[in-house]
Amino acid sequence: MNSLISRFYTSEADLHDMLSLLVAARAQTDDWRYPHVGDLLFWFFMVFCHLDPAQHIRLWHAGGKLVGYAILGEDPSFDCQVLPEYAWQGIEDEALAWAERRISELCQVDAQLWGGPIVSGARQDDPQRIAFLEKHGFHPGGEFSEVNMLCRLVDPIPAAVVPAGYQVRAVIEGDPGEISNRAAAQREVWQPWTVGNVSEQDYAQFMHFPGYERELDIVAVAPDGTIAAYVNGWIDPLNKIGDFGPVGALPAYRQRGLTKAVLLECLRRMQALGMHRVSVSTGVTNTPAIRLYESVDFKIVNQYIEYIKNKS
């Protein structure tokens, strides 16, 4: 093995490398061992909006290639991903030690934000990651364990059906009013969670991130122009798998078939782009969301278990 070099995130080129790491790792393993690039992009967006990537993302290189990364987010939350050939040889331990030191420093500045348990997680069929977390004092008990669901894109996708006067389409490029409307929808659906704290300027920058596809940012627009429901779609062209998230509908517009309509339209577009399957995750207790995804042919195939570690 080449000797490892560790440093902080510095530029968008690093984000490209992080995305490439996940794609390459999935090509060597399966659909669930590593996050989808869409998961990484939205988590990076949250760090970008509320923190500083240069202080909350750590990278490990060997032979000039990115072989591992770690992200420290609010909650505080911790994630580390390492290429299979470098996994469980020390990067994960070093990454967690860095995260815990950084959390200790941040607690001195803002104990309310950083003083809670450290949150991480593992999929139920990943015994090595579970063993790693348990070895370091984590235990199941977080609030946001999820079911992982998969839809196989074999048959033609049914057309989206919406009430009269509504429209399902992609976000319009270069329209400040549209971006403001899109960011407002994100805030209304997801407040008070961190994912809901997104400004118009944040979303405008998000649309220029590598991996963002405007044609897969699908919205249902009410007759008065309000973005009533939406889905962010993401694709991994190498592994032919798409991903949904976040998904949402404004409370006043629910129970009208709008979220199902945007999902179907995004599935249709992903299929046209050559995706063979699409993944999505939602809370294990979120029965309405599970039923919605099942209505467009998603099936539960795995589970993500949230682990927490109380600070000593």
Side-chain angles (χ1 to χ4, degrees), residues 32 120-131 133 145-146 148 302-307:
W32 303 110
S120 192
R123 287 175 173 81
Q124 63 182 6
D125 59 353
D126 191 345
Q128 288 179 299
R129 193 173 184 90
I130 290 171
L133 291 171
S145 293
E146 297 179 326
N148 304 135
N302 211 325
Q303 184 170 329
Y304 177 86
I305 305 167
E306 193 166 79
Y307 279 72

Side-chain angles (χ1 to χ4, degrees), residues 4 32 37 57 59 74 80 101 170 201 239 294 306-307:
L4 294 170
W32 303 110
V37 290
I57 298 177
L59 309 171
E74 292 174 291
C80 178
R101 288 194 304 270
Q201 293 75 21
N239 296 300
E294 288 176 337
E306 193 166 79
Y307 279 72

Side-chain angles (χ1 to χ4, degrees), residues 170-190:
V171 165
I172 298 172
E173 188 172 14
D175 182 342
E178 177 92 344
I179 296 172
S180 178
N181 196 358
R182 181 67 178 82
Q186 180 76 21
R187 288 194 300 273
E188 183 168 345
V189 170
W190 291 99

